[in-house]
Amino acid sequence: MAKESSHAVRSTGVHRVVVIVDENSNPFELGCASEVFGLRRPEIGRDLYDFRLCSPEPCILMRDGFFTLTGVADLAAADAADTLIVPNRPDVEVPRRPAVLDAIRRAHARGARLIGFCSGAFTLAEAGVLDGRRATAHWQWADSFRARFPSVQLESDVLFVDDGDILTAAGSAAALDLGLHVVRRDHGAEVANSVSRRLVFAAHRDGGQRQFVERPMPDLPDESLAPVLAWAQERLDSPLTVSDLAARAAISPATLHRRFQAQLGTTPLTWLTGERLALACRLIERGESRFELVARRSGLGTAANLRALMRRETGITPSAYKRRFGPEVN
């Protein structure tokens, strides 16, 4: 059963994110964590996280001997984490260190939020914290994962899974998607958009999108969805429909559906609703408290529809979202 992580704000007011780096860890996901959680944010005007690296050994050889990591904290730093990011490595059949697994179990027992990128789901499962829980991992290891951990509900065809206090991401770039999702969950859509702009990365790809997109680069330039997406984003307050998007792209609705699935891994309606909800969140974060107006300006129609969608997608009401992310809390 999913649980909400306490991930309490420490006395300094900054949430502490700690990454455990172990032998043969993947540097890409470590870089993703550093970029999302570790950088100073002068463009925002405050630090979002207190970011630390730790390892069970003074010198850690990274994946395939690319380089050696030294000078980071020892494993005791994991005991002070509000969010703990576990090691991920390509040799998924190699048992993880008992000391690392124990650190993960202690963090879980005290209510810390746990994150696993890519093969990090193997580490979490080996620690025993994923039993009966939802998770994802890189699609190429799905069969191996299911064989070793049958009690875990593996969702092998999504970008990431947010199961409350345990979050997992699929391969490589999905680590950025999950990282931005965590920032959005902690600090709101406006801050997440600022972080994504600095990354030059899409601000929001829903976790339910497929890991493997059949045709990531369209064969013909005129098949790209970019123009119609940009057009729609400028008109979210209008009563746009899937037929309107298809007409703008000069294709049939059926063809539009196929291109959305091929290029974005989602449907036009799901994308449009997600964009409208993201706009509604930004309006609330900027101080708009008239929820009927928020609903109209974001194309969601009514305050009742806004409340239903926000509760479904964020787990809280517009009023609660305003209290948490409105300008008075920043």
Side-chain angles (χ1 to χ4, degrees):
M1 180 182 296
K3 300 177 182 177
E4 283 299 321
S5 171
S6 61
H7 55 90
V9 177
R10 57 186 58 253
S11 59
T12 61
V14 181
H15 182 104
R16 178 168 293 173
V17 176
V18 177
V19 183
I20 299 178
V21 186
D22 202 357
E23 184 179 0
N24 213 28
S25 287
N26 284 312
F28 179 83
E29 286 79 6
L30 176 59
C32 291
S34 301
E35 284 283 338
V36 173
F37 302 113
L39 300 188
R40 305 297 295 270
R41 300 289 173 188
E43 68 276 15
I44 295 175
R46 58 190 171 93
D47 291 337
L48 302 181
Y49 299 98
D50 174 6
F51 183 75
R52 309 275 179 97
L53 302 180
C54 72
S55 66
E57 299 288 345
C59 296
I60 291 293
L61 192 64
M62 300 295 289
R63 178 177 181 174
D64 296 334
F66 289 154
F67 59 89
T68 299
L69 182 69
T70 62
V72 300
D74 62 28
L75 203 53
D79 291 329
D82 300 313
T83 291
L84 184 65
I85 301 177
V86 306
N88 73 297
R89 46 194 291 176
D91 48 351
V92 295
E93 301 300 328
V94 175
R96 273 44 177 172
R97 295 177 195 251
V100 169
L101 299 178
D102 287 342
I104 294 168
R105 295 181 188 113
R106 289 196 302 273
H108 182 58
R110 60 183 168 78
R113 180 169 58 193
L114 303 178
I115 294 178
F117 294 139
C118 193
S119 60
F122 283 83
T123 307
L124 290 167
E126 193 171 340
V129 300
L130 280 182
D131 290 349
R133 304 288 294 269
R134 298 167 52 240
T136 192
H138 196 291
W139 58 266
Q140 69 177 339
W141 291 312
D143 291 342
S144 173
F145 187 95
R146 288 193 178 99
R148 288 183 60 191
F149 307 109
S151 63
V152 180
Q153 301 172 37
L154 185 71
E155 300 180 14
S156 59
D157 198 29
V158 298
L159 290 177
F160 61 83
V161 169
D162 181 342
D163 202 39
D165 60 337
I166 302 180
L167 300 91
T168 48
S172 299
L176 288 173
D177 290 298
L178 178 54
L180 288 170
H181 170 78
V182 170
V183 173
R184 188 179 305 107
R185 199 172 105 170
D186 291 347
H187 299 283
E190 192 79 357
V191 170
N193 286 343
S194 178
V195 174
S196 72
R197 283 194 297 271
R198 184 164 166 182
L199 284 167
V200 195
F201 191 76
H204 178 63
R205 292 198 299 168
D206 184 74
Q209 290 186 29
R210 291 181 299 158
Q211 289 188 34
F212 180 70
V213 177
E214 294 174 0
R215 200 157 48 93
M217 293 297 292
D219 295 332
L220 299 173
D222 62 0
E223 289 190 3
S224 170
L225 288 171
V228 73
L229 299 183
W231 177 82
Q233 286 170 330
E234 294 174 355
R235 295 165 175 80
L236 292 174
D237 59 338
S238 302
L240 294 176
T241 65
V242 173
S243 295
D244 293 330
L245 298 182
R248 178 66 184 182
I251 55 178
S252 70
T255 299
L256 184 73
H257 272 275
R258 286 194 296 271
R259 291 187 184 174
F260 262 79
Q261 289 288 356
Q263 297 180 33
L264 299 180
T266 190
T267 67
L269 183 59
T270 298
W271 177 86
L272 189 59
T273 301
E275 291 295 309
R276 283 173 165 158
L277 186 59
L279 174 58
C281 289
R282 293 196 297 273
L283 292 172
I284 294 171
E285 290 169 29
R286 293 169 186 169
E288 182 55 72
S289 59
R290 295 167 294 179
F291 297 136
E292 286 286 354
L293 180 60
V294 170
R296 288 198 301 272
R297 289 180 61 187
S298 61
L300 293 176
T302 66
N305 192 39
L306 172 66
R307 281 193 295 273
L309 284 170
M310 285 200 70
R311 184 177 288 278
R312 187 185 75 189
E313 298 299 326
T314 70
I316 58 177
T317 64
S319 296
Y321 192 90
K322 180 177 182 295
R323 287 193 298 269
R324 183 170 179 182
F325 299 119
E328 66 274 10
V329 302
N330 296 327

